[in-house]
Amino acid sequence: MTKERLAIYGGNKIIDRPFTRYNPIGKEELQAASQVLESGVLSKFLGCWHEDFYGGPKVREFERIAADYFGVKHAVTVNSWTSGLIAAVGAIGIEPGDEVIVPSFTFVPTASAVVRAGGKPVFVDIRPDTLNLDPELVEKAITSNTKAIVPVHYAGVGCEMSAFNSLAQKNGLRIIEDAAQGVHAYCDGNALGSMGDLGTYSFHQTKNFSCGEGGALCINDPFLVDRAEILREKGTNRRQFLSGQVDKYSWVDIGSSLLPSELTSAFLYAQLQAADEITAKRKEIFNRYLDAFQSLVEDNLIQLPVIPENCDSNYHLFHVLVRNSDTRDRVLENLQECGIHAVFHYVPLHLSKAGQKYQTAGNRLPVTEDVSGRLIRLPIYPDMTTDQQTLVVNEFTRLVTGD
Ligand SMILES: *Cc1c(COP(=O)(O)O)cnc(C)c1O
């Protein structure tokens, strides 16, 4: 992290007990945002991330640049990951009665965007090592109503995409990658989000690269691009109008208002320039935790995160599994008392109030239920100091060995 970025960030205290914090904000982000403010144009027909295009809607050109950045064919910017999934689900035409296979060990919108379109989320269990959706269990869950699979790249570690893609091919299904946590992470050299039919990114404050709220929908199947753009533009064919394909734009399909503002888009574009720097910092902190906790693993007190050899993680989060949920609750409570903000997730969707409705009776997800009771996320953010991390390591070690 350059001194300059840190200096600007230094005056920007958000909370005293940080868990995830804003990324350091550099002068680049501030400059990009003020350029937009000076231009007086805060919303455009299309969210442009590239300053060369502030002057006008050079749509195709811009999207080519964004797509190059992520290594996908097309990138459609949206105002959140959730908006991206709404567009994705709409683009592939999920209808009432359609089933979409999702993990239960994930954040709510992975399933709620499916429900919003009238589809039924079918919850499938995860692998105990990467905590990613298990392809063998997915295969067993496929029925004649299955339309799509949504593998979540948990913690920025890639799912087994070749297994999911071959299941999709065999059964005529679509793959939408939940790469909310997977921006600038790779598997066999391919960007997460670029290997399915569609993939979605999040630029929420809690993610590695952020503009507060934002997202991108990556589209590999060119047939889906037009549809996603109509959905994003309130159900109008404004994009075709802008590119001169029609004389007047009008209502052509369902849609919503899913575009990001110019201000956040410009800010984000500038933040992405620091992507390598931010990732390197997170990697350093992640590896320091791994080293520090080896002895706890040898004593069978905890399990550490697993990154398969073919995956380049973006080190989105650092999680450990302790022995049981009592230990978890005790450790979390005590960490809070020491001023360390550690948290757990997820409440399994198949057990949640809204998710139970879609749960087939007798469908057990033992790994999800076990893991979500034992997981602790420790603080990781790019400008975490060695002293701060040593404090976390010492307190955590003390609490876990005190069983
Ligand atoms: C953050 C997150 C989302 C939601 O992202 P938003 O941009 O807030 O809509 C969805 N899925 C997963 C796995 C996430 O971590």
Side-chain angles (χ1 to χ4, degrees):
M1 205 63 35
T2 61
K3 274 210 184 94
E4 214 160 25
R5 293 186 74 80
L6 283 179
I8 292 172
Y9 176 58
N12 189 9
K13 291 256 179 323
I14 316 292
I15 35 177
D16 353 319
R17 296 191 294 170
F19 160 62
T20 50
R21 306 202 339 180
Y22 280 129
N23 275 323
I25 294 166
K27 64 178 182 333
E28 298 82 0
E29 285 93 317
L30 300 181
Q31 251 165 22
S34 71
Q35 268 178 17
V36 171
L37 288 172
E38 279 162 23
S39 80
V41 181
L42 301 188
S43 54
K44 275 260 182 72
F45 289 135
L46 282 141
C48 296
W49 288 349
H50 197 277
E51 46 211 302
D52 292 349
F53 301 126
Y54 290 172
K58 293 188 177 176
V59 174
R60 289 292 169 206
E61 230 172 320
F62 155 67
E63 293 200 331
R64 181 179 53 71
I65 283 178
D68 282 353
Y69 198 96
F70 298 127
V72 292
K73 292 209 178 88
H74 302 273
V76 171
T77 49
V78 281
N79 50 26
S80 69
W81 177 96
T82 305
S83 295
L85 200 71
I86 288 170
V89 160
I92 63 171
I94 295 295
E95 287 173 357
D98 289 344
E99 294 177 1
V100 178
I101 295 176
V102 297
S104 166
F105 184 74
T106 183
F107 191 36
V108 173
T110 317
S112 64
V114 171
V115 169
R116 200 181 158 278
K120 179 188 173 201
V122 173
F123 299 113
V124 168
D125 216 351
I126 47 174
R127 297 173 53 110
D129 51 3
T130 55
L131 311 187
N132 280 336
L133 201 55
D134 186 331
E136 281 177 28
L137 298 176
V138 166
E139 184 164 21
K140 288 188 193 141
I142 293 171
T143 71
S144 55
N145 293 326
T146 309
K147 264 282 181 68
I149 306 169
V150 187
V152 176
H153 300 297
Y154 179 67
V157 173
C159 293
E160 295 149 281
M161 287 309 297
S162 50
F164 289 121
N165 281 334
S166 66
L167 280 180
Q169 237 166 19
K170 212 162 86 188
N171 297 282
L173 311 175
R174 295 287 199 175
I175 302 282
I176 306 172
E177 299 173 68
D178 179 341
Q181 302 178 5
V183 180
H184 205 34
Y186 302 84
C187 227
D188 297 315
N190 300 309
L192 305 190
S194 73
M195 293 174 274
D197 297 292
L198 303 128
T200 47
Y201 289 146
S202 173
F203 301 113
H204 185 264
Q205 181 190 331
T206 52
K207 301 302 196 282
N208 288 26
F209 315 106
S210 167
C211 57
E213 299 276 2
L217 176 60
C218 307
I219 307 181
N220 288 310
D221 179 342
F223 295 109
L224 298 175
V225 177
D226 284 351
R227 201 153 154 73
E229 279 167 359
I230 288 167
L231 284 155
R232 175 177 71 163
E233 274 285 12
K234 301 147 186 87
T236 71
N237 56 351
R238 198 182 220 168
R239 172 65 175 269
Q240 287 170 318
F241 168 67
L242 287 173
S243 55
Q245 290 165 266
V246 292
D247 293 339
K248 182 84 193 112
Y249 70 88
S250 62
W251 185 18
V252 292
D253 206 336
I254 56 160
S256 192
S257 187
L258 308 177
L259 280 160
S261 91
E262 273 300 281
L263 200 56
T264 51
S265 303
F267 184 96
L268 177 63
Y269 185 84
Q271 172 127 131
L272 286 171
Q273 309 299 309
D276 288 337
E277 208 184 336
I278 289 168
T279 307
K281 226 32 225 181
R282 298 186 84 98
K283 180 176 184 175
E284 212 177 291
I285 296 161
F286 187 98
N287 286 337
R288 220 184 283 144
Y289 273 136
L290 285 188
D291 287 345
F293 292 145
Q294 276 316 318
S295 64
L296 297 180
V297 174
E298 282 152 25
D299 293 342
N300 277 327
L301 291 169
I302 61 165
Q303 286 161 258
L304 291 173
V306 174
I307 304 178
E309 260 181 23
N310 63 332
C311 292
D312 288 318
S313 178
N314 61 7
Y315 309 95
H316 171 60
L317 54 87
F318 187 87
H319 64 278
V320 291
L321 297 176
V322 295
R323 286 214 289 214
N324 53 50
S325 58
D326 287 346
T327 306
R328 197 267 299 274
D329 296 345
R330 184 177 54 75
V331 170
L332 281 184
E333 201 180 306
N334 282 284
L335 285 175
Q336 292 284 353
E337 279 167 19
C338 313
I340 294 165
H341 186 205
V343 294
F344 75 93
H345 69 183
Y346 295 101
V347 176
L349 296 185
H350 72 289
L351 303 177
S352 67
K353 186 172 166 228
Q356 276 174 23
K357 279 189 277 189
Y358 306 100
Q359 171 70 347
T360 312
N363 181 24
R364 293 292 315 277
L365 306 179
V367 181
T368 298
E369 288 170 27
D370 171 49
V371 160
S372 58
R374 298 193 290 124
L375 189 140
I376 295 180
R377 294 174 61 180
L378 293 177
I380 180 166
Y381 45 90
D383 61 344
M384 188 178 201
T385 65
T386 314
D387 284 352
Q388 284 171 326
Q389 197 177 4
T390 305
L391 178 78
V392 176
V393 167
N394 290 347
E395 291 302 328
F396 180 79
T397 305
R398 181 177 68 78
L399 290 166
V400 169
T401 46
D403 263 345

